[in-house]
Amino acid sequence: MGVRFRRVCFACGEVLSRENPWGRCPRCGSYGVPRFDPALPLKDSRFRRMWRYWPRLPLEGADPVTLGEGDTPLVPLREDSGPGRLWVKWEGLNPTGTYKDRPASVTVSRARETGAGGVIVASDGNNGPAVAAYAARAGLPCLVLMPRDTPAFRCRQAAAYGARIVLVEGDINDCLEVSEAWGRELGYPDGSTAIHLNPYHEEADKTIAYEIFEELGRVPDWVSVPLGGGGVCAGVCRGFRDLADLGLTDRVPRPVAAQAAACAPFVRAVREGRPLRREPCPGRTLALTIAVPFPADGEIARQALEASGGEAVAVEEAELAAATLLLARQGMLVEPTGAVSLAALLRCRREGLVREGDVAVAVATGTGLKVLGEWEDLENLDRSILRIPRGAGVPEALREEAARRMPPRGGGSPEERGVRS
């Protein structure tokens, strides 16, 4: 098939040498991004799941490091969720439980292909375990740098895959600075989801858009994505623009970049029409893994938002909790960070931006199984637990609930149908 992609400097357009698969532009010092031959097809039948889009993924060879990522379901919300047609792209069913498996697969595949001796990654949540898992699959050492106050259970998952965990004083942006310096010294490619460190992660994120298009059979009117660093928002928007460039659609959806109001530097910058700056998070949020003081890919995400007529939305904690519970009551245990996308769509619908009949997709980025402790902050689940003595009959509360929920048989009240209450 010949040369499928080249790295081109994001700032000055210089075509970077193939012998420089990770480094910055020698002319201006900016970073290079993959650009593909526009004549390439979207898919290759030799590959499965996410890697069926191999012609448009930045791997020169045909041997990706994969654990079966991608091909996640697109689930419609029940009609009782309100007017409009809402769908959830359920990324929690990826191998380590989040969409981060997509960029981890691409990054580690590229690292192995370019002869790297290991990989390094800065993470405050899901990316570290994902990169650690794929590095383990590839047989590569992995260093995971996390803020010192990262919950222990997040460190344990990455450590279980054999990664070395380094706890850094500061926040995720401090970890990114250390990762860049250490990666350069050790010769390890960076698996962080920040494009100035890892030029390949956005290419994996665009496959979410490809799958939504194929599953729906059309482009949605809206697509909502959680925004921490900004990369997944930029990547999903990029994917829909690829589809338009390929002539597969004549339109792209309006994106919603969703943050929690307790830490929303991107939303504030967009709303105020000013450059992004590093801002401390003023409050605690359930959406812990997108509580990023400075979105490293924020300007790219802003450009994508503006090009597609998108919205930046910050939701309150009560809205976030309600969206998380709504998803759970429809069978999807989503971590609150992933549910912020739905909370933002519901806000847009209340405000009349998302209209009745619009097709809207919320990308739910990760499984709630990782953060079960956070459910104590959502509601008192003890109310759902009944403790009974041995040999007890059906409690009266359960009888009443069964009576209320029994489907009618020719009409009439539960009593008229012979149901005990």
Side-chain angles (χ1 to χ4, degrees):
M1 187 176 283
V3 177
R4 295 184 301 110
F5 69 94
R6 294 179 172 84
R7 285 183 67 221
V8 177
C9 177
F10 182 80
C12 72
E14 175 84 357
V15 177
L16 306 189
S17 166
R18 295 174 69 81
E19 284 69 49
N20 178 22
W22 298 91
R24 296 193 177 221
C25 174
R27 175 188 290 180
C28 72
S30 187
Y31 48 87
V33 291
R35 290 295 178 255
F36 291 79
D37 180 346
L40 290 171
L42 183 65
K43 294 186 289 186
D44 186 321
S45 60
R46 293 178 298 167
F47 300 89
R48 296 179 59 248
R49 303 178 74 90
M50 183 190 82
W51 282 99
R52 68 179 180 271
Y53 304 116
W54 177 82
R56 293 190 166 270
L57 288 172
L59 191 66
E60 293 177 3
D63 183 25
V65 179
T66 179
L67 292 166
E69 57 290 333
D71 247 358
T72 54
L74 189 65
V75 183
L77 288 185
R78 292 197 310 259
E79 292 181 3
D80 60 9
S81 302
R85 292 174 288 173
L86 300 184
W87 298 73
V88 177
K89 180 62 169 164
W90 184 202
E91 288 291 294
L93 297 187
N94 278 299
T96 75
T98 78
Y99 87 94
K100 295 284 191 178
D101 291 336
R102 296 175 187 263
S105 176
V106 169
T107 300
V108 173
S109 295
R110 188 72 173 132
R112 185 177 69 175
E113 181 173 73
T114 57
V119 291
I120 191 168
V121 57
S123 170
D124 61 356
N126 294 322
N127 195 41
V131 173
Y134 284 81
R137 183 66 179 167
L140 292 175
C142 180
L143 281 176
V144 178
L145 280 59
M146 290 181 160
R148 193 177 69 175
D149 61 355
T150 300
F153 65 85
R154 294 193 181 277
C155 301
R156 291 190 193 107
Q157 186 186 6
Y161 295 124
R164 177 68 64 88
I165 312 301
V166 180
L167 298 180
V168 178
E169 183 71 36
D171 57 35
I172 182 59
N173 293 110
D174 296 303
C175 291
L176 288 168
E177 292 176 8
V178 175
S179 182
E180 181 174 18
W182 285 21
R184 189 184 305 117
E185 183 173 342
L186 295 170
Y188 282 8
D190 204 310
S192 306
T193 48
I195 202 166
H196 69 285
L197 300 179
N198 177 3
Y200 302 110
H201 81 88
E202 182 186 327
E203 303 304 311
D205 296 339
K206 70 188 181 185
T207 62
I208 296 173
Y210 297 167
E211 290 179 14
I212 290 171
F213 174 75
E214 288 200 293
E215 290 171 276
L216 274 181
R218 55 161 289 183
V219 167
D221 300 293
W222 295 85
V223 60
S224 181
V225 184
L227 191 140
V232 67
C233 179
V236 169
C237 289
R238 164 82 183 283
F240 283 114
R241 292 211 165 272
D242 279 359
L243 296 170
D245 291 343
L246 286 167
L248 298 174
T249 177
D250 59 0
R251 53 184 292 276
V252 295
R254 293 181 66 181
V256 175
Q259 291 193 303
C263 188
F266 179 84
V267 174
R268 282 194 291 274
V270 170
R271 294 286 176 89
E272 296 170 13
R274 60 166 172 79
L276 283 160
R277 58 174 178 251
R278 187 165 176 167
E279 301 179 18
C281 294
R284 183 180 180 277
T285 176
L286 290 167
L288 178 65
T289 56
I290 57 169
V292 178
F294 180 78
D297 292 338
E299 288 302 332
I300 303 173
R302 188 207 293 260
Q303 291 175 21
L305 218 63
E306 292 173 349
S308 304
E311 299 285 337
V313 176
V315 300
E316 300 297 333
E317 291 302 294
E319 296 175 277
L320 178 52
T324 305
L325 289 171
L326 187 156
L327 288 166
R329 298 305 190 259
Q330 298 203 23
M332 289 169 280
L333 196 67
V334 176
E335 66 174 333
T337 291
V340 73
S341 56
L342 178 61
L345 271 186
L346 294 174
R347 163 83 71 83
C348 289
R349 191 170 64 179
R350 287 194 303 272
E351 295 177 351
L353 288 169
V354 176
R355 297 169 297 182
E356 186 171 352
D358 283 353
V359 174
V361 176
V363 179
T365 46
T367 177
L369 291 173
K370 286 192 171 193
V371 290
L372 286 175
E374 292 183 3
W375 284 77
E376 295 176 5
D377 296 328
L378 295 175
E379 70 170 8
N380 182 3
L381 294 185
D382 281 344
R383 294 182 307 176
S384 299
I385 301 173
L386 297 177
R387 294 172 175 83
I388 63 171
R390 184 179 293 123
V394 177
E396 190 65 24
L398 296 184
R399 291 180 184 277
E400 292 174 357
E401 182 176 353
R404 287 194 303 270
R405 293 180 175 273
M406 181 169 288
R409 297 178 182 174
S413 67
E415 290 78 13
E416 291 169 339
R417 296 195 305 269
V419 178
R420 293 177 57 189
S421 61

